[in-house]
Amino acid sequence: HDGWIPHLQEIYKPGSPYLEIILSGAIGLGKTYIAIASLQYDLYNLLCLKAPQSYYGLTPNAEIVFALFNTTMTLTEKVGTAVWNDHVNNSPYLRDVCLINKYKKDALIFPKNIQVISGSKFTHALGSNVFGSLLDEANFGKDVVQGAGVKSQMLENYTALLRRMESRFKEISGKIPGHMFLVSSKKSDSDFLE
């Protein structure tokens, strides 16, 4: 994973303009692993704020969310949530500040009302204050024929997540502090990420 380091340094340098990051390439390069590690760096920075909700103009008890999305809920839980939880278990800092929700298997609770949600459809993020997001397997979403048109599952998910990040966290300067990771291996020249 050392090959990712120069790219992550560029993404996270002070004043960096990057909001959307596309990680593509062959299967097994660690794209999802790196995206989730990066989102957890965003989580760490949020946890360093005394009152993140107040800092970003949200109500004091508002949930701040990291959204993990894939083509199906099964894949989101099998890949995204599993990798996220492994990162937490391997991080002394996150492991110490995190609680395990005894009512929901694998659900982790972070201080300051920061949560992780899973989804596969844009409706899974409705009403959420999305700070950071992962759209995994972006080139493998379902296209649904509706009347004379085609609706793209990934385009709907992408739009919904980005709108929530913009509407909740866009700063006066126009910068959005979190990151959106779009991750997938290539399928064809007409892929969503193309």
Side-chain angles (χ1 to χ4, degrees):
H1 296 114
D2 290 345
W4 294 105
I5 291 173
H7 303 291
L8 294 173
Q9 289 171 332
E10 179 69 20
I11 291 165
Y12 283 98
K13 73 181 180 186
S16 168
Y18 301 108
L19 165 64
E20 299 174 44
I21 296 99
I22 295 174
L23 301 180
S24 189
I27 295 169
L29 288 179
K31 300 177 294 289
T32 301
Y33 180 92
I34 292 301
I36 288 176
S38 299
L39 287 173
Q40 289 183 339
Y41 183 70
D42 287 339
L43 167 65
Y44 167 77
N45 287 324
L46 261 181
L47 290 170
C48 287
L49 295 172
K50 182 176 181 179
Q53 285 80 356
S54 175
Y55 185 84
Y56 289 112
L58 301 171
T59 59
N61 293 322
E63 295 174 353
I64 296 178
V65 167
F66 286 86
L68 307 178
F69 273 57
N70 206 315
T71 57
T72 67
M73 283 300 289
T74 301
L75 278 174
T76 301
E77 292 164 3
K78 182 179 174 185
V79 179
T81 305
V83 172
W84 182 281
N85 291 352
D86 284 346
H87 279 285
V88 169
N89 291 330
N90 290 316
S91 164
Y93 172 76
L94 291 176
R95 193 175 55 234
D96 289 347
V97 301
C98 171
L99 298 172
I100 297 173
N101 184 336
K102 63 183 178 182
Y103 300 107
K104 287 176 77 178
K105 183 183 177 215
D106 295 330
L108 304 177
I109 301 168
F110 295 95
K112 303 178 185 181
N113 210 9
I114 299 171
Q115 299 186 9
V116 179
I117 63 169
S118 300
S120 62
K121 298 186 288 190
F122 75 97
T123 54
H124 294 145
L126 288 180
S128 296
N129 299 314
V130 178
F131 188 85
S133 60
L134 165 64
L135 191 54
D136 205 355
E137 301 298 355
N139 288 336
F140 295 90
K142 301 174 196 130
D143 290 335
V144 179
V145 176
Q146 286 193 328
V150 175
K151 286 177 75 174
S152 166
Q153 172 194 14
M154 285 304 139
L155 182 57
E156 282 187 333
N157 290 346
Y158 165 82
T159 303
L161 293 170
L162 186 59
R163 282 188 183 148
R164 271 141 196 83
M165 292 175 74
E166 289 175 336
S167 67
R168 278 31 176 227
F169 296 101
K170 191 171 191 176
E171 298 171 350
I172 293 170
S173 66
K175 182 170 178 7
I176 298 171
H179 294 93
M180 172 184 261
F181 285 86
L182 304 154
V183 175
S184 192
S185 54
K186 189 171 181 173
K187 189 174 84 171
S188 73
D189 289 337
S190 61
D191 288 343
F192 174 74
L193 293 182
E194 294 298 316

